[in-house]
């Protein structure tokens, strides 16, 4: 019975630690502290050197939990990645994820060699362990601080942090093998890297497509779709690892493919994985905190701080500026990308690999990685919002989006039911606008279900449900959130080639003789963009109106307030692409055709 009691105590203590980690997130958010740091501190306090006095030295269990957690985190990141958003930054992101990791490791290695008294291979291993950025840390802090980054910067960070882990894992494993075996060759390492990358891509693409087919063809009971997808991700990861392919690359690519294809219960899957990855991160950080020994850290904290400072202020910036030199990023964007190279669970997870195989200085790698992560989360994590605003890469904040309800409709994949609460200051209520691809279906008022015709006029407090394509559901938010104040342009802008967005289509027909659809004459040009664009309008967005093209020249309050007119006499000049741009476009087209996105 004593063994059963020990198991029960272990379950109780584990649950209490996880609960403490969850509750500590509230305190961390209140003071702006990085949440991941709170989870690490909980683990340290519960360890044998803290008040909890829990003795935990099971590196194998930590590695197992870390592998599962990292696989789920990468899969969830891929699932949320819109291929169209990262397509334009695919080349710079991949360079950062490979060459950038290698450069960071090489620049950090000399400091690690002399500060920690290591040989060159061991010093390079230290660099490899801490070279990759952590996707969970980056986006958890970006979202927690309410930042809206410029699309190119955000997409680059998203693609880099999601795809650099496989290369860092490969580099770490190669160096661990070299240290333990004592010999190796550069050619052999390149062959292994190519094999792992190619096989990992194959497993990811094939596995992702198989999951999409299974989701849409197999009639699973309601509620099992999300566990099926999460389990399938781990199957893809395990199968790739057993085949000596990159399992981390495989699950990331599988997530991208599944997330960019129409599937059943997509919203349920995303919600489930969001909770699963949160739990995985908490458990992983608490376990990593339990492995830390403060007494042992004392001996290596000073050289570890030196390594961390060189990493943040020298190695990462050099790697970013070198890798992004061929691409059109300004210096502010490069500085911010360099500063956002946060280290998190991935670094500590990689540092557990030498402990697992029993290298002679294994705990030194772990302690250095732990100190680097702590400094990175404190210094970079706390200043992330300030850096984004000072470097002008953060877009103005918007009001928190409306609470959106999404319901999948069995038997088809083209439409889903999307519901919103009507606000008195929303674009829908004040202007009666909805995009052309959505259709109001029912209204709930005072617990009664009404058709849109029966509910007219729709009032604040009603709940409106619309049919919309799943991939466009999020774009409906802007019609149901409070309208931002807009600055009115010069009212005399009508008559040249620049027109105020508040002029109506009817006024445009009188001057330019264009024809408009019946019922749209009273729409303003800003309304016309809102109704016919799939997403929120951006500068440069175009719409065709009979024989002319409308171009959004200025955006204010989330709406178009100045419109340019491209008349038929204007000749369209095809942009001349450089060879590198042609190559990037061809690579993106090949990936889109292979992945089916």
């Amino acid at each position: 019975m004593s063994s059963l009691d020990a198991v029960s105590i272990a379950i109780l203590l584990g649950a209490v630690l996880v609960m403490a980690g969850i509750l500590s997130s509230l305190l961390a958010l209140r003071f702006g502290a990085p949440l991941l740091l709170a989870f690490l501190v909980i683990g340290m306090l519960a360890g044998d050197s803290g008040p909890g006095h829990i003795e935990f030295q099971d590196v194998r269990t930590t590695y197992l939990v870390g592998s599962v957690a990292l696989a789920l985190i990468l899969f969830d990141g891929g699932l949320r990645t819109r291929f169209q958003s990262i397509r334009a930054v695919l080349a710079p992101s991949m360079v950062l994820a490979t060459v950038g990791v290698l450069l960071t490791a090489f620049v950090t290695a000399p400091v690690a060699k002399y500060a920690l008294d290591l040989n060159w291979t061991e010093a390079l291993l230290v660099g490899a362990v801490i070279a990759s950025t952590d996707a969970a840390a980056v986006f958890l802090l970006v979202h927690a601080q309410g930042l809206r980054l410029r699309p190119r910067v955000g997409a680059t960070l998203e693609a880099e942090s999601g795809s650099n882990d496989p290369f860092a894992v490969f580099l770490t494993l190669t160096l661990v093998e070299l240290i333990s075996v004592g010999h190796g060759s550069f050619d052999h390492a390149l062959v292994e890297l190519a094999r792992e990358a190619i096989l990992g891509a194959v497993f990811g693409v094939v596995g992702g497509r198989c999951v999409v087919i299974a989701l849409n063809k197999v009639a699973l009971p309601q509620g099992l779709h999300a566990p099926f997808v999460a389990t399938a991700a781990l199957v893809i990861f395990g199968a790739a690892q057993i085949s000596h392919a990159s399992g981390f690359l495989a699950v990331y690519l599988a997530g991208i493919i599944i997330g960019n294809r129409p599937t059943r219960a997509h919203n349920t899957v995303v919600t489930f994985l969001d909770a699963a990855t949160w739990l995985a991160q908490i458990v992983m950080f608490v376990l990593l905190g339990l492995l830390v020994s403060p007494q042992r850290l004392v001996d290596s904290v000073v050289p570890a701080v030196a390594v961390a400072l060189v990493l943040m202020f020298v190695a990462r910036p050099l790697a970013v500026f070198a890798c992004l030199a061929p691409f059109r990023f300004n210096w502010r964007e490069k500085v911010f990308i360099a500063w956002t190279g946060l280290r998190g669970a991935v670094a500590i997870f990689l540092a557990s690999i030498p402990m697992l195989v029993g290298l002679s200085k294994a705990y030194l790698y772990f302690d250095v990685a732990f100190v680097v992560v702590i400094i990175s989360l404190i210094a970079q994590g706390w200043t992330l919002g300030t850096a984004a605003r000072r470097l002008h890469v953060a877009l103005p904040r918007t009001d928190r989006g409306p609470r959106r309800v999404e319901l999948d409709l069995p038997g088809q994949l083209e439409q889903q039911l999307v519901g919103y609460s009507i606000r008195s200051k929303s674009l829908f209520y004040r202007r009666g606008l909805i995009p052309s691809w959505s259709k109001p279906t029912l209204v709930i008022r005072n617990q009664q279900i009404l058709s849109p015709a029966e509910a007219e006029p729709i009032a604040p407090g009603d709940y409106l449900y619309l049919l919309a394509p799943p991939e466009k559901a999020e774009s409906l938010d802007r019609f149901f959130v409070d309208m931002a104040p807009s600055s009115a342009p010069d009212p005399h802008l009508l008559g040249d080639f620049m027109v105020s967005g508040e002029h109506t289509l009817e006024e445009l027909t009188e001057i330019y003789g264009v024809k408009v659809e019946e019922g749209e004459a009273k729409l303003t040009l800003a309304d016309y963009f809102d109704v016919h664009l799939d997403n929120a309008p951006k500068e440069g967005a175009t719409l065709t109106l009979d024989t002319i093209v409308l171009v959004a020249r200025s955006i204010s309050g989330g709406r178009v307030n100045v419109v340019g007119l491209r008349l038929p006499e204007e000749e369209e000049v095809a942009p001349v692409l450089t060879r590198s741009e042609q190559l990037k476009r061809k690579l993106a087209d090949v990936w889109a055709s292979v992945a089916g996105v």
Side-chain angles (χ1 to χ4, degrees):
M1 294 299 291
S2 60
S3 59
L4 294 179
D5 290 339
V7 171
S8 301
I9 292 173
I11 294 173
L12 175 62
L13 291 176
V16 168
L17 285 177
V18 173
M19 182 63 70
I22 295 172
L23 294 177
S24 68
S25 66
L26 301 176
L27 186 64
L29 280 174
R30 183 178 181 86
F31 291 99
L35 298 185
L36 305 181
L37 180 60
F39 303 148
L40 277 176
V41 171
I42 291 293
M44 291 178 63
L45 292 175
D48 57 358
S49 300
H53 296 293
I54 297 176
E55 294 186 9
F56 181 82
Q57 298 296 328
D58 194 343
V59 180
R60 186 175 297 276
T61 299
T62 304
Y63 181 79
L64 175 62
V65 172
S67 297
V68 172
L70 189 55
L72 287 177
I73 291 168
L74 287 172
F75 181 75
D76 182 61
L79 199 66
R80 295 170 184 274
T81 299
R82 300 271 71 81
F83 181 70
Q84 292 302 323
S85 68
I86 67 168
R87 182 174 182 173
V89 297
L90 205 56
S93 301
M94 292 305 102
V95 173
L96 280 173
T98 52
V99 179
V101 169
L102 199 59
L103 284 176
T104 304
F106 273 119
V107 175
T108 308
V111 181
K113 171 180 168 54
Y114 294 107
L116 297 167
D117 192 23
L118 304 172
N119 62 41
W120 281 111
T121 308
E122 293 170 337
L124 191 57
L125 177 57
V126 172
V129 164
I130 60 176
S132 71
T133 59
D134 188 273
V138 170
F139 286 97
L140 190 61
L141 290 174
V142 168
H143 295 152
Q145 297 187 22
L147 291 176
R148 291 177 61 236
L149 300 178
R150 294 190 179 279
R152 181 171 63 168
V153 175
T156 301
L157 287 171
E158 180 179 357
E160 182 216 358
S161 60
S163 57
N164 64 6
D165 294 340
F167 187 77
V169 171
F170 167 79
L171 191 60
T172 301
L173 290 175
T174 301
L175 291 169
V176 167
E177 181 182 2
L178 183 61
I179 293 172
S180 58
V181 175
H183 60 83
S185 68
F186 181 72
D187 294 339
H188 175 71
L190 283 181
V191 171
E192 286 294 312
L193 174 61
R195 187 187 69 177
E196 288 202 13
I198 294 172
L199 286 179
V202 170
F203 271 97
V205 172
V206 174
R209 288 199 162 190
C210 288
V211 173
V212 170
I213 294 171
L215 271 177
N216 294 336
K217 298 295 184 182
V218 179
L220 290 172
Q222 191 70 25
L224 288 184
H225 296 91
F228 168 77
V229 173
T231 307
L234 295 179
V235 169
I236 293 171
F237 172 76
Q241 290 288 94
I242 290 174
S243 304
H244 299 288
S246 175
F248 298 105
L249 177 62
V251 291
Y252 183 66
L253 292 180
I256 291 178
I257 290 172
I258 297 169
N260 285 272
R261 302 289 293 176
T263 57
R264 281 200 182 101
H266 175 78
N267 303 310
T268 306
V269 170
V270 170
T271 303
F272 176 86
L273 276 169
D274 188 38
T277 52
W278 258 106
L279 182 61
Q281 289 177 76
I282 292 173
V283 173
M284 178 167 59
F285 269 83
V286 170
L287 286 180
L288 293 172
L290 286 171
L291 282 176
V292 175
S293 172
Q295 290 89 345
R296 199 177 62 235
L297 280 175
V298 173
D299 298 331
S300 56
V301 66
V302 174
V305 169
V307 171
L309 293 177
V310 170
L311 173 68
M312 288 193 300
F313 294 104
V314 181
R316 170 71 178 177
L318 279 177
V320 168
F321 274 79
C323 292
L324 296 185
F327 307 101
R328 297 177 180 176
F329 287 83
N330 61 47
W331 70 270
R332 295 178 185 273
E333 293 171 333
K334 292 177 183 177
V335 170
F336 181 75
I337 292 173
W339 187 245
T340 317
L342 279 88
R343 270 60 191 174
V346 175
I348 307 178
F349 166 73
L350 293 179
S352 68
I353 295 176
M355 296 169 64
L356 186 65
V357 300
L359 292 187
S360 59
K361 300 177 181 178
Y363 280 99
L364 180 61
Y365 305 125
F366 186 88
D367 294 343
V368 170
F370 185 83
V371 172
V372 168
V373 169
I374 293 292
I375 293 176
S376 176
L377 290 177
I378 292 176
Q380 295 172 304
W382 243 309
T383 60
L384 195 63
T386 303
R389 287 182 282 271
R390 291 285 180 87
L391 293 168
H392 306 296
V393 297
L395 297 174
R397 289 188 179 186
T398 57
D399 292 334
R400 188 178 295 275
R403 183 177 179 182
R404 180 176 68 248
V405 177
E406 300 179 22
L407 302 173
D408 293 302
L409 301 176
Q412 59 82 51
L413 300 171
E414 303 300 323
Q415 299 282 323
Q416 68 178 9
L417 207 56
V418 186
Y420 294 94
S421 173
I422 303 300
R423 300 184 182 187
S424 59
K425 296 181 180 180
S426 65
L427 186 60
F428 173 80
Y429 180 72
R430 297 178 66 174
R431 306 299 292 267
L433 297 178
I434 55 171
S436 56
W437 38 263
S438 65
K439 179 182 178 182
T441 304
L442 61 90
V443 177
I444 298 178
R445 176 185 297 159
N446 298 328
Q447 300 185 8
Q448 291 184 331
I449 299 177
L450 307 172
S451 69
E454 292 172 335
E456 284 293 340
I458 294 176
D462 292 348
Y463 287 86
L464 176 66
Y465 284 81
L466 310 94
L467 286 175
E471 67 274 11
K472 297 181 181 179
E474 188 175 345
S475 299
L476 282 170
D477 289 357
R478 71 182 193 274
F479 294 90
F480 297 93
V481 72
D482 291 343
M483 291 179 62
S486 60
S487 57
D490 185 350
H492 301 97
L493 281 175
L494 187 61
D496 301 312
F497 298 106
M498 302 288 280
V499 182
S500 167
E502 295 306 311
H503 286 293
T504 64
L505 298 185
E506 187 176 34
E507 292 175 285
L508 216 61
T509 61
E510 294 173 359
I511 294 180
Y512 295 100
V514 295
K515 297 178 181 179
V516 299
E517 295 288 336
E518 186 177 351
E520 291 191 339
K522 299 300 182 183
L523 291 179
T524 66
L525 293 173
D527 295 341
Y528 190 72
F529 273 91
D530 282 326
V531 169
H532 290 286
L533 282 181
D534 288 347
N535 299 297
K538 299 178 181 178
E539 290 187 15
T542 60
L543 283 177
T544 301
L545 180 65
D546 195 23
T547 58
I548 67 175
V549 176
L550 306 178
V551 184
R553 294 297 188 191
S554 175
I555 308 294
S556 176
R559 306 191 76 210
V560 178
N561 72 333
V562 177
V563 178
L565 305 179
R566 190 181 297 162
L567 302 181
E569 299 84 50
E570 297 183 29
E571 294 185 2
E572 294 285 343
V573 180
V576 179
L577 300 178
T578 64
R579 288 186 177 180
S580 62
E581 290 173 333
Q582 292 174 355
L583 179 60
K584 285 190 286 184
R585 180 168 293 185
K586 287 181 180 178
L587 289 174
D589 291 339
V590 169
W591 162 249
S593 62
V594 172
V597 297

